[in-house]
Amino acid sequence: MLNPRGIIERYRDFLPVDDKTPIVTLHEGNTPLILSEDLTQRLGLKVYLKYEGLNPTGSFKDRGMTMAITKAKEKGCTAVMCASTGNTSASAAAYTARSGSMRCFVIIPEGNIALGKLAQAMIHNAKVIAIKGNFDEALNIVREVTDNYPVELVNSINPFRIEGQKTGAFEVCDELGEAPEFHAIPVGNAGNITAYWKGYNEYKGAGKATQLPKMLGFQAAGAAPIVLGKPVENPETIATAIRIGNPASWKLAEAARDESGGLIHAVTDEQILEAYKLLAASTGVFVEPASAASVAGILKLKHEGYFDGHKDARIVCTVTGHGLKDPNIAIKNVIEPVVMEADLKAIVQEIGL
Ligand code: AN7
């Protein structure tokens, strides 16, 4: 039986906590690993979706945030701060509320955060400041503030965030009984690819897996600094979660790529939206656009012949956030409902029965 009380209890032996650590948890983690028959057929290898949208605040950030807020509480901090494209702020706001003893300050890029995420940060009572600037500028301000005032930084440059997020890799191995051959993941600030790679390595080191996956990272084409090899000053993509031009964990993401023999490629907004709609319609999994970057990426690689000769291999895609986070994008990409009178006969006719 899996431990239902969150990732710190479940993976305590792999995390920097002891008996006295005051664990702040919303019972995150233990998310489903869903075999997509549709994608398996399209790719010719087994495609699993690690559905991180089913965490308490609807994204993978909760794995890192339970650790970051727990350690902040242990240290006696009374305030935390983050820059965010949305999900980090939603998670930080919820876990500080849960802590019962901390305030949360959030800086977001005005006009470029999905509606659901903004609602979350506000309802959990964070102090939200929207700057006329992008995520990278917001993060620079947060670094300055947290360097100079008694406020804890909870972006993924906080090492406890990475510690928590590495448990995603543990769960994958526990469920498959082994590490997969490939792991696909969207890349924004590059914390999560770093965390998964750390997790896979630690699990192999502990004898809980015998191999390591190739890490396949995907950035949005308009926000692809790692692919281009230089910062992007004005990143643009409909996948606002990964609209980041100068990732904090850039070097660590490159290390994950190179040590694993993997790659980091770009996918266009069009490819992201196509994968987004395909996942929802053909697998029944509704994710936010940034999450679909990992699926868009593997479809692109398949097309390029990258997986030739890997017929029985397994690939895990981390789908990082729930589709309900960004309802506006969904509505913009579907056909509007038919409006009709409440008339049985007409409705049966419209359906074509
Ligand atoms: C759904 O919330 O950076 O490469 O400030 O929300 O670890 O940054 C979000 C990132 C992928 C990229 N998918 O992960 C933030 C933030 C979703 C995300 C990423 C994010 P990283």
Short mmCIF file of all heavy atoms in Angstrom, two decimals, residues 279-348:
data_model
loop_
_atom_site.label_atom_id
_atom_site.label_comp_id
_atom_site.label_asym_id
_atom_site.label_seq_id
_atom_site.Cartn_x
_atom_site.Cartn_y
_atom_site.Cartn_z
N LEU A 279 -4.41 14.85 -26.98
CA LEU A 279 -4.40 14.21 -25.66
C LEU A 279 -5.80 14.21 -25.04
O LEU A 279 -6.24 13.22 -24.47
CB LEU A 279 -3.48 14.97 -24.72
CG LEU A 279 -2.09 14.47 -24.48
CD1 LEU A 279 -1.40 15.34 -23.44
CD2 LEU A 279 -2.11 13.02 -23.99
N ALA A 280 -6.46 15.35 -25.15
CA ALA A 280 -7.80 15.47 -24.55
C ALA A 280 -8.81 14.60 -25.30
O ALA A 280 -9.62 13.91 -24.68
CB ALA A 280 -8.24 16.93 -24.56
N ALA A 281 -8.74 14.62 -26.62
CA ALA A 281 -9.77 13.94 -27.42
C ALA A 281 -9.51 12.44 -27.57
O ALA A 281 -10.45 11.65 -27.64
CB ALA A 281 -9.87 14.59 -28.79
N SER A 282 -8.26 12.03 -27.61
CA SER A 282 -7.96 10.63 -27.92
C SER A 282 -7.45 9.81 -26.76
O SER A 282 -7.39 8.59 -26.84
CB SER A 282 -6.96 10.56 -29.08
OG SER A 282 -7.44 11.26 -30.19
N THR A 283 -7.03 10.47 -25.67
CA THR A 283 -6.63 9.72 -24.48
C THR A 283 -7.51 10.08 -23.29
O THR A 283 -7.57 9.35 -22.31
CB THR A 283 -5.14 9.97 -24.13
OG1 THR A 283 -4.33 9.55 -25.24
CG2 THR A 283 -4.69 9.17 -22.92
N GLY A 284 -8.21 11.22 -23.38
CA GLY A 284 -9.08 11.62 -22.27
C GLY A 284 -8.34 12.32 -21.15
O GLY A 284 -8.83 12.42 -20.04
N VAL A 285 -7.14 12.81 -21.47
CA VAL A 285 -6.35 13.50 -20.45
C VAL A 285 -6.23 14.98 -20.85
O VAL A 285 -5.70 15.32 -21.90
CB VAL A 285 -4.96 12.85 -20.31
CG1 VAL A 285 -4.06 13.68 -19.40
CG2 VAL A 285 -5.10 11.44 -19.74
N PHE A 286 -6.76 15.84 -19.98
CA PHE A 286 -6.81 17.27 -20.24
C PHE A 286 -5.67 17.94 -19.48
O PHE A 286 -5.63 17.90 -18.25
CB PHE A 286 -8.17 17.80 -19.77
CG PHE A 286 -8.44 19.25 -20.05
CD1 PHE A 286 -7.84 19.94 -21.10
CD2 PHE A 286 -9.35 19.94 -19.26
CE1 PHE A 286 -8.13 21.27 -21.35
CE2 PHE A 286 -9.65 21.28 -19.50
CZ PHE A 286 -9.04 21.95 -20.54
N VAL A 287 -4.74 18.49 -20.23
CA VAL A 287 -3.57 19.13 -19.63
C VAL A 287 -3.50 20.58 -20.08
O VAL A 287 -4.19 20.97 -21.02
CB VAL A 287 -2.26 18.40 -20.02
CG1 VAL A 287 -2.32 16.94 -19.63
CG2 VAL A 287 -1.95 18.56 -21.51
N GLU A 288 -2.65 21.36 -19.45
CA GLU A 288 -2.49 22.73 -19.93
C GLU A 288 -1.47 22.73 -21.08
O GLU A 288 -0.70 21.77 -21.25
CB GLU A 288 -2.08 23.65 -18.80
CG GLU A 288 -0.74 23.36 -18.17
CD GLU A 288 -0.33 24.48 -17.21
OE1 GLU A 288 0.06 25.54 -17.72
OE2 GLU A 288 -0.41 24.29 -15.98
N PRO A 289 -1.47 23.78 -21.90
CA PRO A 289 -0.63 23.77 -23.10
C PRO A 289 0.85 23.44 -22.84
O PRO A 289 1.44 22.65 -23.58
CB PRO A 289 -0.80 25.18 -23.65
CG PRO A 289 -2.16 25.58 -23.22
CD PRO A 289 -2.35 24.98 -21.86
N ALA A 290 1.45 24.01 -21.80
CA ALA A 290 2.87 23.72 -21.54
C ALA A 290 3.11 22.23 -21.37
O ALA A 290 4.14 21.69 -21.81
CB ALA A 290 3.35 24.47 -20.29
N SER A 291 2.18 21.55 -20.74
CA SER A 291 2.33 20.12 -20.51
C SER A 291 2.32 19.34 -21.82
O SER A 291 2.99 18.32 -21.95
CB SER A 291 1.19 19.60 -19.64
OG SER A 291 1.07 20.36 -18.47
N ALA A 292 1.54 19.85 -22.77
CA ALA A 292 1.43 19.16 -24.05
C ALA A 292 2.72 19.28 -24.85
O ALA A 292 2.92 18.56 -25.84
CB ALA A 292 0.26 19.71 -24.84
N ALA A 293 3.64 20.15 -24.43
CA ALA A 293 4.92 20.28 -25.14
C ALA A 293 5.67 18.96 -25.13
O ALA A 293 6.34 18.61 -26.12
CB ALA A 293 5.77 21.38 -24.51
N SER A 294 5.55 18.20 -24.05
CA SER A 294 6.29 16.92 -24.01
C SER A 294 5.71 15.94 -25.03
O SER A 294 6.45 15.23 -25.70
CB SER A 294 6.28 16.33 -22.59
OG SER A 294 4.98 16.07 -22.13
N VAL A 295 4.39 15.94 -25.17
CA VAL A 295 3.76 15.04 -26.13
C VAL A 295 4.01 15.53 -27.56
O VAL A 295 4.31 14.74 -28.47
CB VAL A 295 2.24 14.91 -25.83
CG1 VAL A 295 1.54 14.09 -26.90
CG2 VAL A 295 2.03 14.30 -24.44
N ALA A 296 3.92 16.84 -27.76
CA ALA A 296 4.24 17.40 -29.08
C ALA A 296 5.66 17.01 -29.48
O ALA A 296 5.94 16.66 -30.62
CB ALA A 296 4.10 18.93 -29.04
N GLY A 297 6.55 17.06 -28.50
CA GLY A 297 7.95 16.74 -28.76
C GLY A 297 8.16 15.30 -29.19
O GLY A 297 8.89 15.04 -30.16
N ILE A 298 7.50 14.38 -28.52
CA ILE A 298 7.75 12.97 -28.90
C ILE A 298 7.07 12.64 -30.23
O ILE A 298 7.57 11.81 -30.99
CB ILE A 298 7.38 11.96 -27.79
CG1 ILE A 298 5.90 11.98 -27.45
CG2 ILE A 298 8.25 12.18 -26.55
CD1 ILE A 298 5.45 10.84 -26.55
N LEU A 299 5.97 13.31 -30.53
CA LEU A 299 5.34 13.10 -31.85
C LEU A 299 6.27 13.60 -32.95
O LEU A 299 6.43 12.98 -34.00
CB LEU A 299 3.99 13.82 -31.92
CG LEU A 299 2.86 13.17 -31.11
CD1 LEU A 299 1.67 14.13 -30.95
CD2 LEU A 299 2.39 11.86 -31.76
N LYS A 300 6.92 14.73 -32.68
CA LYS A 300 7.88 15.30 -33.63
C LYS A 300 9.08 14.35 -33.81
O LYS A 300 9.51 14.07 -34.93
CB LYS A 300 8.33 16.66 -33.13
CG LYS A 300 9.28 17.39 -34.05
CD LYS A 300 9.74 18.70 -33.45
CE LYS A 300 11.19 18.79 -33.71
NZ LYS A 300 12.06 19.63 -33.12
N LEU A 301 9.59 13.83 -32.69
CA LEU A 301 10.74 12.92 -32.78
C LEU A 301 10.39 11.65 -33.54
O LEU A 301 11.20 11.11 -34.30
CB LEU A 301 11.25 12.56 -31.38
CG LEU A 301 11.91 13.67 -30.56
CD1 LEU A 301 12.39 13.11 -29.22
CD2 LEU A 301 13.07 14.31 -31.31
N LYS A 302 9.16 11.17 -33.31
CA LYS A 302 8.71 9.97 -34.03
C LYS A 302 8.77 10.23 -35.54
O LYS A 302 9.27 9.41 -36.31
CB LYS A 302 7.28 9.63 -33.58
CG LYS A 302 6.52 8.70 -34.50
CD LYS A 302 7.10 7.31 -34.48
CE LYS A 302 6.34 6.40 -35.44
NZ LYS A 302 6.99 5.09 -35.58
N HIS A 303 8.24 11.39 -35.92
CA HIS A 303 8.21 11.78 -37.32
C HIS A 303 9.63 11.83 -37.91
O HIS A 303 9.84 11.50 -39.07
CB HIS A 303 7.54 13.16 -37.41
CG HIS A 303 7.18 13.56 -38.79
ND1 HIS A 303 6.18 12.94 -39.50
CD2 HIS A 303 7.68 14.53 -39.59
CE1 HIS A 303 6.09 13.49 -40.69
NE2 HIS A 303 6.99 14.46 -40.78
N GLU A 304 10.58 12.23 -37.09
CA GLU A 304 11.97 12.33 -37.56
C GLU A 304 12.71 10.99 -37.52
O GLU A 304 13.90 10.93 -37.84
CB GLU A 304 12.72 13.36 -36.70
CG GLU A 304 12.21 14.78 -36.86
CD GLU A 304 12.74 15.75 -35.79
OE1 GLU A 304 13.52 15.32 -34.92
OE2 GLU A 304 12.36 16.93 -35.84
N GLY A 305 12.03 9.96 -37.06
CA GLY A 305 12.65 8.63 -37.03
C GLY A 305 13.50 8.36 -35.80
O GLY A 305 14.22 7.36 -35.73
N TYR A 306 13.41 9.25 -34.81
CA TYR A 306 14.26 9.13 -33.62
C TYR A 306 14.07 7.80 -32.88
O TYR A 306 15.02 7.27 -32.31
CB TYR A 306 13.98 10.31 -32.68
CG TYR A 306 14.76 10.31 -31.39
CD1 TYR A 306 16.08 10.77 -31.34
CD2 TYR A 306 14.20 9.81 -30.20
CE1 TYR A 306 16.80 10.77 -30.15
CE2 TYR A 306 14.92 9.81 -29.01
CZ TYR A 306 16.21 10.28 -28.99
OH TYR A 306 16.92 10.27 -27.82
N PHE A 307 12.83 7.31 -32.90
CA PHE A 307 12.55 6.10 -32.12
C PHE A 307 12.70 4.81 -32.93
O PHE A 307 12.39 3.73 -32.44
CB PHE A 307 11.14 6.16 -31.52
CG PHE A 307 10.97 7.29 -30.53
CD1 PHE A 307 10.10 8.34 -30.80
CD2 PHE A 307 11.67 7.30 -29.33
CE1 PHE A 307 9.94 9.38 -29.89
CE2 PHE A 307 11.52 8.33 -28.41
CZ PHE A 307 10.65 9.38 -28.69
N ASP A 308 13.15 4.92 -34.16
CA ASP A 308 13.34 3.71 -34.98
C ASP A 308 14.26 2.75 -34.24
O ASP A 308 15.30 3.15 -33.71
CB ASP A 308 13.95 4.09 -36.34
CG ASP A 308 12.97 4.88 -37.21
OD1 ASP A 308 11.83 5.08 -36.76
OD2 ASP A 308 13.37 5.30 -38.30
N GLY A 309 13.85 1.48 -34.22
CA GLY A 309 14.69 0.49 -33.56
C GLY A 309 14.45 0.39 -32.06
O GLY A 309 15.17 -0.30 -31.36
N HIS A 310 13.44 1.10 -31.55
CA HIS A 310 13.14 1.04 -30.11
C HIS A 310 11.73 0.51 -29.86
O HIS A 310 11.02 0.99 -28.98
CB HIS A 310 13.27 2.43 -29.48
CG HIS A 310 14.67 2.94 -29.42
ND1 HIS A 310 15.58 2.49 -28.51
CD2 HIS A 310 15.31 3.85 -30.18
CE1 HIS A 310 16.74 3.11 -28.71
NE2 HIS A 310 16.61 3.94 -29.71
N LYS A 311 11.34 -0.47 -30.61
CA LYS A 311 9.95 -0.91 -30.65
C LYS A 311 9.33 -1.21 -29.29
O LYS A 311 8.20 -0.83 -29.02
CB LYS A 311 9.83 -2.12 -31.59
CG LYS A 311 8.43 -2.25 -32.14
CD LYS A 311 8.30 -3.41 -33.10
CE LYS A 311 6.85 -3.76 -33.40
NZ LYS A 311 5.95 -3.73 -32.28
N ASP A 312 10.02 -1.89 -28.43
CA ASP A 312 9.40 -2.28 -27.16
C ASP A 312 9.77 -1.35 -26.01
O ASP A 312 9.50 -1.65 -24.85
CB ASP A 312 9.76 -3.73 -26.82
CG ASP A 312 9.12 -4.68 -27.82
OD1 ASP A 312 7.94 -4.45 -28.16
OD2 ASP A 312 9.81 -5.62 -28.28
N ALA A 313 10.35 -0.22 -26.34
CA ALA A 313 10.78 0.70 -25.29
C ALA A 313 9.59 1.38 -24.63
O ALA A 313 8.51 1.46 -25.19
CB ALA A 313 11.72 1.74 -25.88
N ARG A 314 9.84 1.88 -23.41
CA ARG A 314 8.82 2.63 -22.69
C ARG A 314 9.24 4.10 -22.62
O ARG A 314 10.40 4.41 -22.38
CB ARG A 314 8.69 2.12 -21.24
CG ARG A 314 8.08 0.73 -21.15
CD ARG A 314 8.49 0.05 -19.87
NE ARG A 314 9.95 -0.18 -19.86
CZ ARG A 314 10.58 -0.92 -18.95
NH1 ARG A 314 9.90 -1.50 -17.98
NH2 ARG A 314 11.89 -1.08 -19.00
N ILE A 315 8.27 4.96 -22.83
CA ILE A 315 8.54 6.39 -22.68
C ILE A 315 7.51 6.98 -21.74
O ILE A 315 6.32 6.74 -21.89
CB ILE A 315 8.56 7.10 -24.05
CG1 ILE A 315 8.83 8.58 -23.87
CG2 ILE A 315 7.29 6.91 -24.84
CD1 ILE A 315 9.30 9.26 -25.14
N VAL A 316 8.01 7.70 -20.75
CA VAL A 316 7.12 8.39 -19.81
C VAL A 316 7.14 9.87 -20.15
O VAL A 316 8.20 10.47 -20.30
CB VAL A 316 7.57 8.17 -18.35
CG1 VAL A 316 6.76 9.05 -17.39
CG2 VAL A 316 7.41 6.69 -17.97
N CYS A 317 5.94 10.45 -20.29
CA CYS A 317 5.80 11.90 -20.50
C CYS A 317 5.25 12.51 -19.23
O CYS A 317 4.15 12.15 -18.82
CB CYS A 317 4.77 12.20 -21.58
SG CYS A 317 5.33 11.94 -23.22
N THR A 318 5.97 13.43 -18.64
CA THR A 318 5.39 14.16 -17.52
C THR A 318 4.45 15.21 -18.11
O THR A 318 4.88 16.09 -18.85
CB THR A 318 6.46 14.87 -16.68
OG1 THR A 318 7.40 13.90 -16.22
CG2 THR A 318 5.83 15.54 -15.46
N VAL A 319 3.16 15.05 -17.82
CA VAL A 319 2.22 16.11 -18.19
C VAL A 319 1.95 16.89 -16.91
O VAL A 319 1.32 16.43 -15.98
CB VAL A 319 0.97 15.57 -18.92
CG1 VAL A 319 1.33 15.20 -20.35
CG2 VAL A 319 0.35 14.37 -18.24
N THR A 320 2.51 18.11 -16.92
CA THR A 320 2.84 18.83 -15.69
C THR A 320 1.69 19.54 -14.99
O THR A 320 1.72 19.73 -13.78
CB THR A 320 3.93 19.86 -16.03
OG1 THR A 320 3.56 20.48 -17.28
CG2 THR A 320 5.28 19.22 -16.19
N GLY A 321 0.67 19.96 -15.77
CA GLY A 321 -0.39 20.75 -15.14
C GLY A 321 -1.76 20.44 -15.73
O GLY A 321 -1.88 20.01 -16.89
N HIS A 322 -2.80 20.65 -14.94
CA HIS A 322 -4.16 20.33 -15.36
C HIS A 322 -4.70 21.31 -16.41
O HIS A 322 -4.42 22.50 -16.34
CB HIS A 322 -5.09 20.33 -14.14
CG HIS A 322 -6.33 19.53 -14.36
ND1 HIS A 322 -7.33 19.95 -15.18
CD2 HIS A 322 -6.69 18.31 -13.88
CE1 HIS A 322 -8.28 19.01 -15.20
NE2 HIS A 322 -7.91 18.02 -14.42
N GLY A 323 -5.49 20.79 -17.32
CA GLY A 323 -6.07 21.62 -18.37
C GLY A 323 -6.98 22.72 -17.84
O GLY A 323 -7.12 23.78 -18.47
N LEU A 324 -7.62 22.48 -16.69
CA LEU A 324 -8.54 23.48 -16.15
C LEU A 324 -7.82 24.74 -15.66
O LEU A 324 -8.46 25.75 -15.39
CB LEU A 324 -9.37 22.88 -15.00
CG LEU A 324 -10.39 21.82 -15.42
CD1 LEU A 324 -11.00 21.15 -14.19
CD2 LEU A 324 -11.48 22.44 -16.29
N LYS A 325 -6.52 24.68 -15.58
CA LYS A 325 -5.74 25.86 -15.20
C LYS A 325 -5.96 27.01 -16.18
O LYS A 325 -5.88 28.17 -15.82
CB LYS A 325 -4.24 25.52 -15.21
CG LYS A 325 -3.82 24.55 -14.15
CD LYS A 325 -3.41 25.28 -12.92
CE LYS A 325 -2.72 24.38 -11.91
NZ LYS A 325 -2.31 25.15 -10.73
N ASP A 326 -6.13 26.63 -17.44
CA ASP A 326 -6.15 27.63 -18.51
C ASP A 326 -7.38 27.43 -19.40
O ASP A 326 -7.28 27.06 -20.56
CB ASP A 326 -4.86 27.47 -19.35
CG ASP A 326 -4.54 28.69 -20.17
OD1 ASP A 326 -5.42 29.57 -20.32
OD2 ASP A 326 -3.41 28.78 -20.69
N PRO A 327 -8.56 27.72 -18.82
CA PRO A 327 -9.80 27.46 -19.57
C PRO A 327 -9.92 28.31 -20.83
O PRO A 327 -10.52 27.87 -21.82
CB PRO A 327 -10.91 27.80 -18.56
CG PRO A 327 -10.28 28.68 -17.54
CD PRO A 327 -8.83 28.27 -17.48
N ASN A 328 -9.33 29.49 -20.82
CA ASN A 328 -9.46 30.37 -21.99
C ASN A 328 -8.84 29.76 -23.25
O ASN A 328 -9.39 29.86 -24.34
CB ASN A 328 -8.81 31.73 -21.71
CG ASN A 328 -9.53 32.47 -20.61
OD1 ASN A 328 -10.75 32.30 -20.43
ND2 ASN A 328 -8.81 33.26 -19.84
N ILE A 329 -7.69 29.11 -23.07
CA ILE A 329 -7.04 28.48 -24.22
C ILE A 329 -7.91 27.34 -24.76
O ILE A 329 -8.04 27.16 -25.97
CB ILE A 329 -5.65 27.91 -23.83
CG1 ILE A 329 -4.66 29.06 -23.59
CG2 ILE A 329 -5.12 26.97 -24.90
CD1 ILE A 329 -3.94 29.56 -24.82
N ALA A 330 -8.52 26.60 -23.85
CA ALA A 330 -9.38 25.49 -24.29
C ALA A 330 -10.55 26.02 -25.10
O ALA A 330 -10.80 25.56 -26.23
CB ALA A 330 -9.87 24.70 -23.08
N ILE A 331 -11.22 27.02 -24.57
CA ILE A 331 -12.40 27.57 -25.24
C ILE A 331 -12.04 28.12 -26.63
O ILE A 331 -12.77 27.94 -27.59
CB ILE A 331 -13.05 28.68 -24.37
CG1 ILE A 331 -13.61 28.08 -23.08
CG2 ILE A 331 -14.11 29.46 -25.15
CD1 ILE A 331 -14.84 27.23 -23.26
N LYS A 332 -10.87 28.75 -26.72
CA LYS A 332 -10.43 29.32 -27.99
C LYS A 332 -10.15 28.26 -29.05
O LYS A 332 -10.06 28.56 -30.23
CB LYS A 332 -9.15 30.13 -27.77
CG LYS A 332 -9.40 31.63 -27.67
CD LYS A 332 -8.09 32.38 -27.72
CE LYS A 332 -7.99 33.30 -26.52
NZ LYS A 332 -6.66 33.57 -26.05
N ASN A 333 -9.94 27.03 -28.60
CA ASN A 333 -9.52 25.98 -29.54
C ASN A 333 -10.57 24.90 -29.80
O ASN A 333 -10.23 23.82 -30.27
CB ASN A 333 -8.22 25.35 -29.06
CG ASN A 333 -7.04 26.27 -29.33
OD1 ASN A 333 -6.55 26.33 -30.44
ND2 ASN A 333 -6.64 27.02 -28.33
N VAL A 334 -11.80 25.21 -29.46
CA VAL A 334 -12.88 24.25 -29.74
C VAL A 334 -14.00 24.94 -30.48
O VAL A 334 -14.04 26.17 -30.56
CB VAL A 334 -13.44 23.64 -28.42
CG1 VAL A 334 -12.40 22.74 -27.78
CG2 VAL A 334 -13.89 24.72 -27.46
N ILE A 335 -14.90 24.14 -31.02
CA ILE A 335 -16.07 24.70 -31.68
C ILE A 335 -17.09 25.03 -30.58
O ILE A 335 -17.31 24.24 -29.67
CB ILE A 335 -16.66 23.67 -32.69
CG1 ILE A 335 -15.60 23.36 -33.75
CG2 ILE A 335 -17.94 24.19 -33.32
CD1 ILE A 335 -15.83 22.06 -34.47
N GLU A 336 -17.68 26.21 -30.66
CA GLU A 336 -18.63 26.62 -29.62
C GLU A 336 -19.85 25.70 -29.59
O GLU A 336 -20.23 25.13 -30.61
CB GLU A 336 -19.08 28.05 -29.91
CG GLU A 336 -17.91 29.01 -29.94
CD GLU A 336 -18.20 30.29 -29.18
OE1 GLU A 336 -19.38 30.65 -29.04
OE2 GLU A 336 -17.23 30.92 -28.72
N PRO A 337 -20.48 25.57 -28.41
CA PRO A 337 -21.65 24.71 -28.34
C PRO A 337 -22.80 25.24 -29.21
O PRO A 337 -22.91 26.45 -29.42
CB PRO A 337 -22.05 24.76 -26.85
CG PRO A 337 -21.23 25.79 -26.22
CD PRO A 337 -20.12 26.15 -27.11
N VAL A 338 -23.62 24.32 -29.68
CA VAL A 338 -24.80 24.69 -30.46
C VAL A 338 -25.86 25.19 -29.48
O VAL A 338 -26.13 24.53 -28.47
CB VAL A 338 -25.36 23.44 -31.20
CG1 VAL A 338 -26.56 23.81 -32.06
CG2 VAL A 338 -24.26 22.79 -32.03
N VAL A 339 -26.42 26.34 -29.73
CA VAL A 339 -27.48 26.87 -28.85
C VAL A 339 -28.83 26.55 -29.49
O VAL A 339 -29.06 26.85 -30.65
CB VAL A 339 -27.32 28.40 -28.65
CG1 VAL A 339 -28.43 28.93 -27.76
CG2 VAL A 339 -25.96 28.71 -28.06
N MET A 340 -29.71 25.90 -28.72
CA MET A 340 -31.00 25.46 -29.26
C MET A 340 -32.13 25.69 -28.27
O MET A 340 -31.88 25.86 -27.07
CB MET A 340 -30.94 23.96 -29.60
CG MET A 340 -29.93 23.61 -30.67
SD MET A 340 -29.98 21.85 -31.05
CE MET A 340 -31.54 21.74 -31.91
N GLU A 341 -33.33 25.64 -28.74
CA GLU A 341 -34.49 25.62 -27.85
C GLU A 341 -34.47 24.30 -27.08
O GLU A 341 -33.89 23.31 -27.55
CB GLU A 341 -35.80 25.70 -28.66
CG GLU A 341 -35.98 26.99 -29.46
CD GLU A 341 -36.04 28.24 -28.58
OE1 GLU A 341 -36.52 28.14 -27.43
OE2 GLU A 341 -35.57 29.30 -29.03
N ALA A 342 -35.15 24.27 -25.92
CA ALA A 342 -35.24 23.03 -25.14
C ALA A 342 -36.29 22.12 -25.77
O ALA A 342 -37.36 21.86 -25.21
CB ALA A 342 -35.60 23.36 -23.69
N ASP A 343 -35.97 21.63 -26.94
CA ASP A 343 -36.93 20.86 -27.73
C ASP A 343 -36.36 19.49 -28.06
O ASP A 343 -35.35 19.38 -28.76
CB ASP A 343 -37.23 21.64 -29.03
CG ASP A 343 -38.21 20.92 -29.91
OD1 ASP A 343 -39.42 21.16 -29.75
OD2 ASP A 343 -37.78 20.07 -30.73
N LEU A 344 -36.98 18.45 -27.51
CA LEU A 344 -36.47 17.09 -27.61
C LEU A 344 -36.24 16.66 -29.06
O LEU A 344 -35.16 16.19 -29.42
CB LEU A 344 -37.44 16.11 -26.90
CG LEU A 344 -37.10 14.63 -27.05
CD1 LEU A 344 -35.81 14.30 -26.31
CD2 LEU A 344 -38.24 13.77 -26.53
N LYS A 345 -37.25 16.85 -29.90
CA LYS A 345 -37.17 16.38 -31.29
C LYS A 345 -36.02 17.05 -32.04
O LYS A 345 -35.23 16.41 -32.73
CB LYS A 345 -38.50 16.67 -32.01
CG LYS A 345 -39.22 15.38 -32.41
CD LYS A 345 -40.56 15.66 -33.00
CE LYS A 345 -40.49 15.64 -34.52
NZ LYS A 345 -41.82 15.95 -35.11
N ALA A 346 -35.93 18.35 -31.85
CA ALA A 346 -34.87 19.11 -32.54
C ALA A 346 -33.48 18.67 -32.08
O ALA A 346 -32.55 18.57 -32.88
CB ALA A 346 -35.08 20.60 -32.29
N ILE A 347 -33.38 18.37 -30.79
CA ILE A 347 -32.08 17.96 -30.25
C ILE A 347 -31.68 16.58 -30.77
O ILE A 347 -30.54 16.37 -31.20
CB ILE A 347 -32.10 18.00 -28.70
CG1 ILE A 347 -32.10 19.46 -28.22
CG2 ILE A 347 -30.86 17.28 -28.11
CD1 ILE A 347 -32.34 19.66 -26.74
N VAL A 348 -32.63 15.67 -30.81
CA VAL A 348 -32.35 14.33 -31.35
C VAL A 348 -31.92 14.45 -32.81
O VAL A 348 -30.96 13.80 -33.25
CB VAL A 348 -33.60 13.42 -31.21
CG1 VAL A 348 -33.41 12.12 -31.99
CG2 VAL A 348 -33.85 13.11 -29.73
#
